[in-house]
Amino acid sequence: DIQMTQSPSPLSASVGDRVTITCRASQSISNYLNWYQQKPGKAPKLLIYAASSLQSGVPSRFSGSGSGTDFTLTISSLQPEDFASYYCQQSYSIPPTFGPGTKVDIK
Amino acid sequence: QVQLVESGGGVVQPRRSLRLSCAASGFTFSSSGIYWVRQAPGKGLEWVALISFDGSSKDYADSVKGRFTISRDNSKNTVSLQMNSLTPEDTAVYYCVRDGNFYDTSGYMHGAFDMWGQGTMVIVSS
């Protein structure tokens, strides 16, 4: 199985900050990498697919990059509604595996 | 309304069984692969099982293989997860998830979990 790791966790930030979350795969997954946001008590929500494509309806302050084994999710200017947990997930092979998550909380 | 709605969760004793259901609406269900993903309290996301759009292909996480069975009825737009021999380690919120097909800028197809149900809680405890 492909192992996914994320850093940092947790991440403390302020409204307006530029935030970057890193995800690393245990082997090359090309650009088969998705990002999800989860708020407490809610189901996850797809933000980014194929490493850098923004899901419909997701604000443009979210962006993704990377290929191979190293990926990043960037929030250009953190908003109050962005305080949540973020998970990466590889869709390169079965089983689909998730990173352990990065909780973004208020500094 | 485009949605997935899970049901069937609850409190069950160890070694007993439980059946979860997922009802889909508002999209072409028979064209979509469906997954079950679970989340133990305070923990991350774990894939449990998948079924292809037509039910011909199924797969399971090693942690549930031989105990859980996934099935679907495209005439009723439903997916089920039969869970047998439950253990406390199966305690989690179980999400029914659609595997959406997306294309990147090079034209390659990617899967991504683009629709999630609200989740149903399963607690395995004596």
Side-chain angles (χ1 to χ4, degrees), chain B:
Chain B
Q1 191 171 1
V2 181
Q3 62 180 0
L4 296 166
V5 178
E6 303 95 336
S7 60
V11 181
V12 61
Q13 293 179 329
R15 297 178 299 280
R16 301 297 290 266
S17 298
L18 203 61
R19 187 177 183 88
L20 304 183
S21 294
C22 170
S25 58
F27 65 96
T28 308
F29 178 74
S30 59
S31 297
S32 298
I34 298 292
Y35 288 62
W36 287 95
V37 174
R38 69 184 180 184
Q39 187 170 36
K43 302 297 184 181
L45 301 165
E46 179 190 20
W47 164 72
V48 173
L50 71 87
I51 188 165
S52 61
F53 69 99
D54 61 356
S56 63
S57 179
K58 306 174 185 180
D59 205 352
Y60 303 91
D62 287 345
S63 57
V64 308
K65 200 168 289 184
R67 299 189 298 122
F68 289 13
T69 302
I70 190 171
S71 60
R72 68 188 295 159
D73 185 340
N74 283 348
S75 68
K76 297 181 179 178
N77 286 4
T78 59
V79 171
S80 296
L81 186 68
Q82 177 67 40
M83 306 186 297
N84 298 333
S85 303
L86 286 161
T87 74
E89 288 67 42
D90 296 316
T91 293
V93 175
Y94 285 73
Y95 293 102
C96 175
V97 186
R98 184 178 76 174
D99 185 27
N101 291 328
F102 298 87
Y103 291 87
D104 64 21
T105 54
S106 299
Y108 291 98
M109 191 174 75
H110 292 249
F113 300 143
D114 66 339
M115 186 185 302
W116 297 66
Q118 84 285 357
T120 188
M121 184 73 202
V122 173
I123 298 173
V124 183
S125 174
S126 54

Side-chain angles (χ1 to χ4, degrees), chain A residues 2-60:
Chain A
I2 297 175
Q3 307 302 316
M4 307 300 293
T5 58
Q6 287 182 235
S7 61
S9 190
L11 189 161
S12 296
S14 301
V15 172
D17 283 354
R18 181 180 182 88
V19 167
T20 298
I21 298 169
T22 297
C23 175
R24 177 165 289 174
S26 60
Q27 67 182 72
S28 178
I29 58 171
S30 184
N31 64 339
Y32 287 82
L33 192 283
N34 306 315
W35 288 98
Y36 302 87
Q37 177 194 64
Q38 186 180 32
K39 297 180 179 179
K42 300 294 187 181
K45 170 188 172 184
L46 178 65
L47 299 176
I48 301 281
Y49 63 91
S52 61
S53 295
L54 198 65
Q55 169 66 331
S56 176
V58 174
S60 58

